Amino acid sequence: MIKIYGTTGCPSCKQAVSLCKSKELEYLYIDMMEDPKTMDALVSFIGNFRTVPQILVNEVHVGGFEGLVKHLNKGE
């Protein structure tokens, strides 16, 4: 399961969602602007971050959009 933590209007977040859809991958998009506690929980899990999206694959942090692309390319 891929979890994409992002914010409204973020182009890289939209790219990550589009990539998952195009590859028919199971994903969950979480808009951190909807619930500030989500951001606090993510910081506790992965540490501080400055950009979005922040992406977890099977609860392992892979980074942002480029990290997701690299992770998926390893599996191909």
Side-chain angles (χ1 to χ4, degrees), residues 8-71:
T8 305
C10 164
S12 295
C13 300
K14 291 177 183 177
Q15 283 183 301
V17 168
S18 292
L19 179 62
C20 289
K21 285 181 180 179
S22 71
K23 292 188 174 280
E24 299 181 354
L25 300 171
E26 183 180 3
Y27 75 94
L28 174 64
Y29 176 77
I30 301 145
D31 188 335
M32 293 188 293
M33 301 306 286
E34 291 181 7
D35 183 3
K37 292 179 184 177
T38 303
M39 187 179 297
D40 294 338
L42 186 59
V43 167
S44 293
F45 188 71
I46 68 169
N48 290 326
F49 56 90
R50 293 182 174 203
T51 61
V52 290
Q54 292 298 314
I55 302 172
L56 304 177
V57 178
N58 298 322
E59 298 303 319
V60 175
H61 182 239
V62 298
F65 175 70
E66 291 180 10
L68 177 62
V69 170
K70 288 178 187 175
H71 177 82

